[in-house]
Amino acid sequence: MLQKNLRFIGNLLIVSVLSVIIVNISSLPVYIYLITANWFTLLVSFSLYAVIIVFLYNIYKTTAELRQFDFRPWRTRLNKRALLLMVIGAVIIVALAFGYAKLTAVWHITESGNERALDLLLRKNPVAMTLDAVIFGPIAEELSFRGFFFSYVLSDQYLDREYQAATIVINGLLFGYLHSGNSLVPLAYYTLFGIVLGTTYLLSKHDIRVNSVTHMLANLGILWLVPS
């Protein structure tokens, strides 16, 4: 049992490092139109995003197959449970965002570096950043943070609820840290954001489409409904 737990912890450490690298690579399109925003750089950025998403999906699929982790291909038909999970997950995340916005306003909490950068980009390039935040970003993040991360860690040896719960929490903390740094309240908010998505992924029986749409709907709701 001890050896199994040590292997599990080792898997978590390895996949956390790999996920950070993959997420940074998948952010390259944003950096391209950060340098200079025009129609050409936007076309290049979104074309690169499409290539990266295909690449990330193949990484996810290959990892799942190698580690005997069940996953649902893109073409599998969505059922009512999947649709319900999308809506519930998105509503919970938007509710969290409302609470976070309220806390930051009442307690005068400084925005995280990630939030300041996003606000600046949204003001400079609202169309491009909306597409990034609502479509490309969520798909890329779900393929790396949930798809690759969970398929690497939760092989057929680690399907017990204790391992699943630990994976959800660690995954949420990593997601939270990469989105907020070490600022406590933003870290708590983004960690809960990640935990909701991790839970949705497992409840949907590893359907990355459910998570991608949940993340998209949540980001869209935050952009439209939550005061900045």
Side-chain angles (χ1 to χ4, degrees):
M1 188 67 178
L2 177 60
Q3 188 177 8
K4 184 178 180 181
N5 288 339
L6 289 175
R7 283 201 307 270
F8 176 73
I9 293 169
N11 288 340
L12 280 173
L13 291 173
I14 291 169
V15 79
S16 295
V17 173
L18 291 174
S19 293
V20 170
I21 295 170
I22 290 171
V23 167
N24 283 325
I25 292 172
S26 67
S27 300
L28 283 175
V30 180
Y31 296 124
I32 290 175
Y33 57 74
L34 254 177
I35 298 170
T36 175
N38 54 52
W39 287 111
F40 176 74
T41 56
L42 289 180
L43 180 61
V44 171
S45 298
F46 291 135
S47 298
L48 182 58
Y49 246 138
V51 172
I52 287 172
I53 286 170
V54 172
F55 176 67
L56 290 175
Y57 179 75
N58 284 318
I59 289 178
Y60 165 42
K61 181 181 177 183
T62 302
T63 305
E65 290 172 348
L66 287 173
R67 300 184 72 81
Q68 300 178 337
F69 181 83
D70 184 39
F71 79 105
R72 294 182 177 239
W74 286 112
R75 295 182 181 179
T76 307
R77 188 174 180 178
L78 289 170
N79 54 35
K80 292 181 180 179
R81 174 189 171 87
L83 297 173
L84 185 61
L85 281 171
M86 291 176 189
V87 174
I88 292 174
V91 168
I92 291 173
I93 292 170
V94 172
L96 286 171
F98 267 108
Y100 174 59
K102 192 72 174 178
L103 280 177
T104 54
V106 172
W107 294 354
H108 305 290
I109 297 169
T110 306
E111 283 185 317
S112 68
N114 179 70
E115 290 168 335
R116 285 194 297 273
L118 284 176
D119 287 343
L120 177 62
L121 286 170
L122 275 169
R123 286 195 294 270
K124 290 177 65 178
N125 304 290
V127 175
M129 283 309 299
T130 299
L131 287 172
D132 175 76
V134 176
I135 299 176
F136 295 101
I139 295 174
E141 286 193 346
E142 290 311 307
L143 285 169
S144 52
F145 273 117
R146 254 61 63 178
F148 171 66
F149 193 102
F150 280 77
S151 63
Y152 190 96
V153 176
L154 294 178
S155 63
D156 60 349
Q157 302 174 57
Y158 302 104
L159 297 179
D160 296 338
R161 289 188 178 181
E162 294 81 3
Y163 291 120
Q164 291 181 344
T167 303
I168 288 172
V169 172
I170 298 300
N171 178 265
L173 284 167
L174 180 65
F175 182 84
Y177 178 75
L178 289 178
H179 282 77
S180 68
N182 54 5
S183 301
L184 186 58
V185 175
L187 175 62
Y189 162 62
Y190 284 108
T191 296
L192 289 173
F193 195 131
I195 286 174
V196 172
L197 289 169
T199 304
T200 302
Y201 181 62
L202 291 184
L203 288 177
S204 67
K205 302 188 185 300
H206 317 151
D207 194 334
I208 202 67
R209 299 168 304 169
V210 171
N211 263 66
S212 297
V213 174
T214 300
H215 201 154
M216 288 178 188
L217 291 174
N219 282 6
L220 184 63
I222 291 167
L223 285 176
W224 280 3
L225 303 174
V226 179
S228 57

